[in-house]
Amino acid sequence: MVEHRVIFFDIGNTLLFPNRAKMLAPLASDRHPSLEQWQALERRTKAEFDQDMQSGRVDHGFWAIFHTYLLEALNEPMSGRNGLVQQLVENTQNSDNWDQILPGTRAALERIREKFRIAVISNADGKIERVLSRCGIADCFESITDSGIVGVEKPRPEIFEAALKTMNVRPEESLYVGDVYSVDYVGATNAGMQAILFDVAGAYRDRSESRVESVAQLESWLQK
């Protein structure tokens, strides 16, 4: 394995996490799931989504699946589900609603960039740099590749190629860190990069691919 020179990070569910109060605003606050319930839904959705992506049946419907399962768990009447799912998906695809950052994230990124160049590749709405700035970590990265600006989403190789070109680095010298197997891991490795799953929810604990559950674990993994 070629030693990596550049670490590329996904954003959603990797460095920034959902502001669930904002995302779930169409629902009464007393119906919002706990973090444990949210992560259980995430694990269930990833299992189905990854399978569908591999079979070619799904493009980028992760959050439609997730929120359908959520409303099912809440026993939402069928008559109102479709409209609510659409509202929830729109809220989730708004990058401004991804503003929860775990304590110690910036300090960890600063330690990582002492040894590696670091950058971002994110499926977003063209505004992810602004959100990263608001969360206090945008200046940690040499480049930020946002699908809303590039015009193509992961797992397509073009977005990875655009980021590699920006950083002037070869794929085999690069590592991608992301949370969805079929989008991040497969997308990066198909582009010739190394990859590791960032798996806070524990969706991939039974898989053989390299994975970490925190930035601290990622730091330790990078030191191997």
Side-chain angles (χ1 to χ4, degrees):
M1 181 182 292
V2 178
E3 184 176 355
H4 31 260
R5 295 172 47 211
V6 177
I7 314 296
F8 289 95
F9 287 89
D10 180 29
I11 295 302
N13 284 329
T14 301
L15 295 180
L16 299 183
F17 294 84
N19 185 320
R20 289 181 289 133
K22 290 182 179 179
M23 285 185 182
L24 301 178
L27 303 176
S29 59
D30 61 356
R31 304 189 73 208
H32 291 189
S34 66
L35 177 59
E36 291 74 20
Q37 291 168 325
W38 182 277
Q39 290 183 336
L41 289 168
E42 185 180 330
R43 291 191 292 271
R44 181 182 178 188
T45 302
K46 284 179 175 175
E48 178 174 330
F49 179 77
D50 288 338
Q51 183 175 357
D52 285 348
M53 284 289 285
Q54 290 174 321
S55 66
R57 295 198 302 272
V58 169
D59 182 12
H60 50 271
F62 181 93
W63 289 106
I65 298 171
F66 180 95
H67 290 302
T68 297
Y69 282 151
L70 171 62
L71 295 181
E72 180 183 287
L74 294 174
N75 295 314
E76 182 69 27
M78 289 295 296
S79 59
R81 283 189 193 178
N82 288 343
L84 264 179
V85 166
Q86 184 175 348
Q87 291 179 58
L88 293 168
V89 168
E90 289 174 358
N91 282 358
T92 305
Q93 291 175 336
N94 180 350
S95 62
D96 284 333
N97 294 337
W98 289 83
D99 61 2
Q100 301 301 292
I101 184 167
L102 299 180
T105 297
R106 182 182 173 93
L109 290 173
E110 289 179 340
R111 289 191 296 270
I112 290 170
R113 71 174 180 169
E114 288 176 1
K115 298 182 179 179
F116 306 96
R117 300 168 66 200
I118 64 174
V120 164
I121 306 173
S122 177
N123 282 354
D125 57 2
K127 302 174 183 177
I128 200 63
E129 184 170 2
R130 184 182 71 187
V131 179
L132 290 168
S133 295
R134 181 155 54 90
C135 293
I137 59 173
D139 62 311
C140 292
F141 306 105
E142 287 188 42
S143 75
I144 297 171
T145 302
D146 182 329
S147 68
I149 295 173
V150 175
V152 62
E153 293 187 343
K154 302 174 296 180
R156 286 178 56 181
E158 294 94 332
I159 189 168
F160 295 99
E161 291 163 0
L164 291 164
K165 184 177 181 180
T166 299
M167 295 294 285
N168 191 26
V169 65
R170 292 182 293 152
E172 61 269 24
E173 297 174 317
S174 306
L175 174 74
Y176 190 68
V177 183
D179 73 297
V180 181
Y181 171 77
S182 59
V183 173
D184 298 312
Y185 193 97
V186 172
T189 55
N190 282 349
M193 302 167 70
Q194 301 169 54
I196 184 170
L197 289 164
F198 197 87
D199 189 22
V200 174
Y204 301 113
R205 286 174 181 160
D206 296 329
R207 297 191 67 104
S208 60
E209 289 83 6
S210 297
R211 56 177 289 278
V212 294
E213 295 188 3
S214 66
V215 178
Q217 283 188 12
L218 176 63
E219 284 187 86
S220 297
W221 187 88
L222 290 170
Q223 293 170 5
K224 293 180 181 178

